[in-house]
Amino acid sequence: MIKDRNHTASSRADSGAASLEAVGMVAASGLVVVLLLTMIGGPSNALAGLYCRATGAMAQAAGGEPPTCAPDSSVAPPPSGEPPGAQPPDDRDRPRDRRPDGNSPPMDPPKVVPPRSPVCRPAEGSTRPGLPPGEVKLTPKPARRGPIKDSTSITVKIDPAKVEGDATNSQKMSIVLEGQRGVSAEKAAELGKVGVKLDFNTGRRTTYGYSGPTDSTPNLTDGIPPNPFDPDNIPPGGTVNLDGEFYTSVGASAAYRGLVANETDGSGSGATVAVTKLPPSKPGENKVRVMVGSTDFVEQAVSLGFGTPSYNLGLFDSRKVTDKAMRQAEFDLGTPEGRRAYNAAVFGGKLPTSDEPGVSNIAQVMGSEYARRNGVQVKAGDQGAKSTTDGEDHSVLVTVYSDGRQVDEVTRRVGPDTYSQVQEYDASGARVPEKSRFQFRQTGLSADEVENYNFAYGDDRAEIPPGSYNAVLSLNAGELQQVRIDAATILAASLKKRGIDRPELGSAPRLADFQRVLKDNPRWLDETFNEPAEAEALRILRYPNDAELANMIWRSGGWTETSNLDWFNQWRNYYIKVTGDDLPTKVGDMVCRRQQ
């Protein structure tokens, strides 16, 4: 994906390092947001507790003694017999149990890895579907001095829920504080019966965002909200973002006989801090990942409605593209060194440049994100609300570690359908196929749709309980190669049925033979194979790259709940129709989960 990875990483690292100067500003602004949330919904002593812990963390980072903080009433008391604040002993310091013969007990038997199966069998437990997406914006009465308007607003946003790799849902919630100064030429131009309004604005946004599993989403009005200054309060798998952005925008609106159209285009830059609580890989593990860096973005919002320019109801479509250049490190908060390094990174923007005790996986991260939202909006003066009915999310992240490894992550969501891929490259730039993963994620499947897929592709007749389901089908590089082999088998069987003998293919053509002819004489293949099953098999062979083949499968069924499942059902039917046999291998591994 990146040819000169070292050069790219070093050039982007310069901008990432420069952005650390802005991290302190973002952290300070984010602390204001967190304190605001605490005062709105938390207990009366929560603010003092947060301030005490924050100053204690800074004192520890500086090598001093932290103050003694009162216990937080929002945290469950320790088990009886343990003093407040007691931590469970570290397993490394605990003596091993011994059998009567004096020998250490045998090690736990290795975990049995279940065989891969493309059949949807609902996993134990369920997942919450998430909150309805949308946003509400509140703006106190702005101050006006002639054509100049100064305003401050607070916006609460809820993004659409996403399906993760284990078929659970995750969702992001954000609170945005925005200060804006604008110049308006309202009613300055009248073109016939069309009223025209122009705006030019500059502003600053500070965003507090939390994203994580819907099953463990904290209540922001109950105690202290998750924040990077207190990482122990972030649920596993959760991420807290603090973003600061400066922007300029130009807007134009027109009104004609109650029909109102508006468009706003903006661009800007800023700094970002993201703290992710990593799910523990073993009991007692306490690790977080910190990413800090700079961002550049462009955004556009278009709306069409009925009413007046100030009071209207209509449809909206908004888009935003963001480029990021960041640095990453993972901290083991279970060690004093990791805790001190974490505090220095979050409070002072001093991210380590190499692995050290308590710090690992130092990396440069470059990426781009595209977000589109559309739905219904209502505007009443300076206030407004939006209900998101549909949208898209696309992201590309390239992570280059200090040892030369590179991991590319791509995620695309269109409505209920999501595609995800992860590919890893070693220090020499060679791809590591066994570490590649390609996933098709669907949401909103009915029990009937799941049963139909299970029977059509996997010959499984098990009854699925009624409900709405998430389904994730994972493929690896070997399984995608099996799809190509099956495609070559279809073409070979078709040639045999027709009695066509091509010397360059041999008497028993295989995948490599068709790939060679596809390169040397593609026109003959196109003219020979034109039946639906043959055309689909030939199309598969045109994608020797795993990512391109997986993308082709994802796009083939359109953007519906069952698009990818329908493709695999049809592919099996094609194979049986041409060869007379069933697929030798039903590729993929399916995880399903019922939504509550």
Side-chain angles (χ1 to χ4, degrees):
M1 182 174 179
I2 293 181
K3 295 182 179 180
D4 188 353
R5 297 183 298 137
N6 295 330
H7 172 74
T8 306
S10 62
S11 61
R12 298 298 294 272
D14 295 337
S15 60
S19 69
L20 293 180
E21 298 177 359
V23 169
M25 176 197 70
V26 175
S29 302
L31 182 56
V32 172
V33 178
V34 173
L35 295 180
L36 177 62
L37 293 176
T38 303
M39 290 186 287
I40 293 175
S44 58
N45 68 337
L47 178 61
L50 173 62
Y51 177 78
C52 182
R53 286 199 301 277
T55 54
M58 288 188 287
Q60 285 185 320
E65 291 294 328
T68 302
C69 301
D72 187 354
S73 60
S74 65
V75 178
S80 58
E82 294 184 9
Q87 299 293 328
D90 194 322
D91 288 338
R92 293 172 299 181
D93 300 328
R94 182 181 299 160
R96 287 183 175 272
D97 296 330
R98 292 187 176 273
R99 298 182 300 186
D101 59 4
N103 296 322
S104 298
M107 297 180 62
D108 294 335
K111 295 182 179 179
V112 178
V113 179
R116 295 173 66 85
S117 170
V119 173
C120 174
R121 297 185 177 92
E124 294 183 3
S126 57
T127 183
R128 295 179 183 175
L131 300 173
E135 64 179 72
V136 176
K137 182 177 182 179
L138 302 176
T139 305
K141 186 176 181 180
R144 295 181 180 271
R145 295 192 300 272
I148 299 177
K149 180 178 70 174
D150 292 325
S151 63
T152 303
S153 64
I154 180 170
T155 303
V156 179
K157 295 183 178 181
I158 300 178
D159 286 348
K162 300 187 301 182
V163 180
E164 299 297 334
D166 60 354
T168 59
N169 288 321
S170 67
Q171 193 168 36
K172 181 176 182 179
M173 297 172 287
S174 305
I175 296 180
V176 183
L177 295 179
E178 183 173 357
Q180 185 182 84
R181 166 166 289 189
V183 178
S184 175
E186 188 174 2
K187 298 181 182 179
E190 292 287 343
L191 305 177
K193 296 183 179 180
V194 179
V196 179
K197 176 184 176 182
L198 299 177
D199 293 291
F200 176 79
N201 299 290
T202 62
R204 172 182 173 181
R205 286 191 289 251
T206 299
T207 303
Y208 164 89
Y210 171 80
S211 59
T214 56
D215 303 320
S216 61
T217 299
N219 186 351
L220 297 184
T221 62
D222 182 16
I224 299 176
N227 68 88
F229 308 102
D230 186 10
D232 296 323
N233 200 29
I234 302 176
T239 298
V240 175
N241 290 86
L242 294 178
D243 301 325
E245 297 177 337
F246 294 91
Y247 67 91
T248 59
S249 66
V250 177
S253 62
Y256 176 72
R257 294 186 177 181
L259 183 64
V260 181
N262 181 79
E263 178 176 344
T264 302
D265 297 277
S267 63
S269 60
T272 181
V273 179
V275 179
T276 301
K277 186 68 167 290
L278 301 177
S281 59
K282 58 183 179 180
E285 187 176 66
N286 186 9
K287 286 187 175 183
V288 294
R289 177 186 296 126
V290 176
M291 301 175 71
V292 298
S294 61
T295 61
D296 296 286
F297 65 91
V298 294
E299 55 189 357
Q300 180 187 65
V302 179
S303 63
L304 180 66
F306 294 94
T308 67
S310 298
Y311 296 87
N312 57 75
L313 172 67
L315 305 176
F316 76 91
D317 185 287
S318 63
R319 310 180 187 196
K320 185 175 183 178
V321 178
T322 306
D323 289 331
K324 297 182 177 182
M326 300 172 290
R327 295 169 55 192
Q328 166 191 296
E330 293 180 6
F331 300 86
D332 185 353
L333 301 183
T335 64
E337 298 88 353
R339 179 75 66 168
R340 283 196 296 268
Y342 173 82
N343 291 334
V346 173
F347 287 98
K350 299 178 181 178
L351 203 65
T353 58
S354 60
D355 290 359
E356 57 187 59
V359 181
S360 60
N361 286 331
I362 301 295
Q364 303 288 339
V365 182
M366 297 149 283
S368 295
E369 297 177 352
Y370 168 79
R372 180 181 181 182
R373 301 287 182 268
N374 44 58
V376 180
Q377 71 173 14
V378 59
K379 182 179 180 182
D382 294 309
Q383 320 304 324
K386 297 180 179 179
S387 175
T388 302
T389 57
D390 202 358
E392 302 177 30
D393 290 285
H394 305 264
S395 67
V396 178
L397 280 181
V398 178
T399 304
V400 182
Y401 292 92
S402 56
D403 60 4
R405 289 180 298 121
Q406 176 176 312
V407 177
D408 296 352
E409 300 178 59
V410 177
T411 303
R412 299 187 177 98
R413 182 190 68 86
V414 179
D417 198 356
T418 302
Y419 168 78
S420 173
Q421 75 177 44
V422 177
Q423 298 192 91
E424 184 170 325
Y425 302 83
D426 61 22
S428 66
R431 177 169 167 259
V432 185
E434 58 269 22
K435 293 188 178 181
S436 297
R437 184 203 67 198
F438 308 89
Q439 290 186 335
F440 309 109
R441 306 174 184 176
Q442 290 85 28
T443 186
L445 297 174
S446 67
D448 288 340
E449 289 170 332
V450 173
E451 289 179 356
N452 291 338
Y453 161 78
N454 281 349
F455 176 68
Y457 187 60
D459 280 334
D460 187 280
R461 297 177 179 269
E463 182 177 351
I464 302 296
S468 177
Y469 289 86
N470 290 344
V472 178
L473 182 64
S474 299
L475 299 175
N476 55 38
E479 289 168 330
L480 288 173
Q481 182 68 357
Q482 181 63 49
V483 172
R484 297 188 187 95
I485 294 173
D486 295 339
T489 302
I490 287 178
L491 297 182
S494 180
L495 289 177
K496 185 176 181 180
K497 281 184 177 181
R498 299 186 193 182
I500 300 176
D501 185 12
R502 296 285 296 192
E504 62 266 41
L505 287 173
S507 58
R510 305 177 66 179
L511 174 60
D513 300 317
F514 284 107
Q515 289 176 330
R516 184 179 63 255
V517 176
L518 185 62
K519 181 179 179 181
D520 298 336
N521 192 4
R523 183 175 179 179
W524 176 82
L525 292 175
D526 291 333
E527 294 174 349
T528 303
F529 300 112
N530 46 37
E531 293 295 324
E534 300 168 347
E536 188 68 1
L538 189 57
R539 185 163 71 130
I540 289 172
L541 296 187
R542 295 184 187 276
Y543 293 98
N545 180 281
D546 287 342
E548 293 177 353
L549 177 56
N551 265 281
M552 184 276 289
I553 297 174
W554 179 63
R555 296 193 307 266
S556 295
W559 319 122
T560 66
E561 289 88 346
T562 61
S563 59
N564 308 136
L565 306 186
D566 291 341
W567 186 91
F568 284 96
N569 294 345
Q570 185 62 55
W571 179 240
R572 184 193 181 198
N573 291 335
Y574 282 155
Y575 191 93
I576 294 175
K577 179 179 179 180
V578 176
T579 67
D581 297 321
D582 200 354
L583 288 167
T585 302
K586 310 290 178 57
V587 300
D589 189 44
M590 176 72 81
V591 177
C592 289
R593 207 174 288 269
R594 184 176 182 271
Q595 298 191 86
Q596 294 178 357

